[in-house]
């Protein structure tokens, strides 16, 4: 068998053996500073990534490294508390392993959360921005022999971010009185932040949010038919001029993202009840 698939199967089987028959349909991936959302999960089974065969460990700032099973507002879910990034040096197959493991475990819906910089001048630090589309400037995670059992060689990406989930999010936000903006996420490898010239360029081609994650997970999820909802927490407004800033190491991003946790928690609790 394809050794990539053997690795996914080994990880999924190990996790299944620890779950006592739980079978959620929804999974979350929590990025920089958003790990505390996992504090709201009840009846937790916590499996550190280091215990899962074939799983890497998260090395990024603010990424804990736990696979969690539990309930969120009464509904069964999985959560990855901490994700893997291409800039950490992992191949794309490793960056996205969690998504294919979710698929093997029966997940139908994936909620991806990240910290992002704002290229859109209308956005402010602390905004919650629903991702409506993306521009991928990282290597595509589906390069290589196609894993036929997961999906087709040339997956459609016209509605990568599920339209019904977007509508549900806006309905829920309206009921809760939460301000949710919409934007296109532009993903590059990092680990450098963008130069002002790059920010101006990316903005001019339609970027609202700049980040270094998420898109590989979304591509792999869409390849295998998982429906995706994405949301960014705006942690900084990107600089468009060459003026020195004293902001922008990973710790600042984590600190700012933590301020958005409450809003995301409220929205997610409401959405999960209506899926
Ligand atoms: N650029 C890229 N990634 C980021 C940023 C940014 O400004 N802020 C948080 N993640």
């Amino acid at each position: 068998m394809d050794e990539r698939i053997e690795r996914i199967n080994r990880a999924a089987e190990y996790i299944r053996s620890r779950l006592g028959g739980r079978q959620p349909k929804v999974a979350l991936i929590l990025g920089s500073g958003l790990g505390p959302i996992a504090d709201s999960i009840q009846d937790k089974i916590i499996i550190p990534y280091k215990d899962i065969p074939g799983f890497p460990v998260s090395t990024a700032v603010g990424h804990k490294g736990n696979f969690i099973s539990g309930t969120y507002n009464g509904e069964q879910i999985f959560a990855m508390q901490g994700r893997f990034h291409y800039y950490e040096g992992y191949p794309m197959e490793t960056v996205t392993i969690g998504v294919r493991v979710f698929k093997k475990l029966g997940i139908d819906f994936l909620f991806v959360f990240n910290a992002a910089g704002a290229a859109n001048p209308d956005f402010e630090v602390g905004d919650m921005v629903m991702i409506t589309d993306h521009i991928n400037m990282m290597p595509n995670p589906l390069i290589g022999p196609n894993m036929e059992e997961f999906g087709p060689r040339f997956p459609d990406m016209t509605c990568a971010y599920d339209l019904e989930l977007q509508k549900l999010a806006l309905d829920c936000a309206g009921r809760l009185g939460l301000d949710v903006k919409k934007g296109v996420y532009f993903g590059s490898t990092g680990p450098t932040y963008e130069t002002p010239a790059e920010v101006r360029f990316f903005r001019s081609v339609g970027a609202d949010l700049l980040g270094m994650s998420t898109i590989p997970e979304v591509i792999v999820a869409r390849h295998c038919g998982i429906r995706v909802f994405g949301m960014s927490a705006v942690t900084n407004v990107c600089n468009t001029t060459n003026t020195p800033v004293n902001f922008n190491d990973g710790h600042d991003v984590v600190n700012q993202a933590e301020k958005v946790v409450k809003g995301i928690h409220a929205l997610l609790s409401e959405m999960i009840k209506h899926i």
Side-chain angles (χ1 to χ4, degrees):
M1 196 202 264
D2 185 331
E3 67 183 36
R4 298 171 301 172
I5 294 181
E6 280 175 15
R7 181 178 172 207
I8 293 159
N9 285 342
R10 271 199 306 277
E13 274 157 28
Y14 175 78
I15 292 168
R16 200 179 288 116
S17 76
R18 301 271 312 261
L19 291 181
R22 295 179 176 189
Q23 284 193 322
K25 292 290 166 203
V26 176
L28 321 177
I29 300 182
L30 306 171
S32 305
L34 300 172
I37 290 172
D39 295 343
S40 307
I41 303 174
Q42 308 289 313
D43 304 319
K44 280 199 269 273
I45 296 172
I46 300 178
I47 309 174
Y49 293 159
K50 65 176 170 44
D51 294 351
I52 305 173
F55 249 58
V57 289
S58 312
T59 66
V61 178
H63 288 252
K64 266 204 173 150
N66 290 320
F67 189 101
I68 300 172
S69 148
T71 56
Y72 205 95
N73 204 10
E75 303 296 327
Q76 286 284 341
I77 56 144
F78 286 139
M80 281 179 65
Q81 191 182 26
R83 57 157 54 90
F84 313 117
H85 304 81
Y86 192 62
Y87 66 70
E88 292 172 86
Y90 298 120
M92 277 298 181
E93 181 196 322
T94 304
V95 169
T96 56
I97 188 168
V99 179
R100 292 197 174 106
V101 167
F102 283 148
K103 178 70 183 178
K104 287 278 176 178
L105 294 171
I107 285 301
D108 292 328
F109 299 94
L110 177 66
F111 284 60
V112 284
F113 296 96
N114 58 51
N120 184 326
D122 296 334
F123 294 171
E124 289 167 13
V125 171
D127 278 348
M128 289 194 281
V129 185
M130 180 173 80
I131 304 173
T132 57
D133 207 341
H134 71 222
I135 299 172
N136 183 27
M137 294 302 284
M138 300 185 231
N140 193 300
L142 301 182
I143 289 172
N146 185 43
M147 294 193 219
E148 288 293 330
E149 71 164 86
F150 282 94
R153 172 76 292 189
F154 301 109
D156 173 46
M157 290 294 282
T158 44
C159 297
Y161 298 85
D162 193 86
L163 297 179
E164 283 178 32
L165 293 177
Q166 289 186 48
K167 182 173 181 314
L168 174 63
L170 295 179
D171 290 348
C172 292
R175 279 200 294 278
L176 296 165
L178 289 170
D179 183 22
V180 171
K181 296 182 173 161
K182 294 196 240 178
V184 172
Y185 182 92
F186 184 106
S188 45
T189 64
T192 47
Y193 288 112
E194 298 74 18
T195 64
E198 286 166 343
V199 174
R200 295 194 300 270
F201 173 47
F202 297 162
R203 186 194 269 184
S204 76
V205 296
D208 296 304
L209 300 156
L210 305 183
M212 308 174 192
S213 68
T214 305
I215 293 179
E217 298 151 8
V218 173
I219 291 173
V220 166
R222 292 309 302 137
H223 179 238
C224 62
I226 295 175
R227 292 169 63 182
V228 173
F229 179 78
M231 176 158 273
S232 293
V234 173
T235 55
N236 56 289
V237 172
C238 298
N239 231 14
T240 52
T241 58
N242 299 98
T243 44
V245 284
N246 56 11
F247 175 89
N248 247 355
D249 75 355
H251 295 282
D252 294 325
V253 164
V254 169
N255 292 339
Q256 292 298 347
E258 282 173 354
K259 296 183 186 160
V260 192
V261 163
K262 229 173 111 190
I264 291 182
H265 166 62
L267 182 67
L268 188 57
S269 302
E270 187 72 8
M271 286 181 75
I272 275 180
K273 268 201 310 208
H274 293 95
I275 281 179

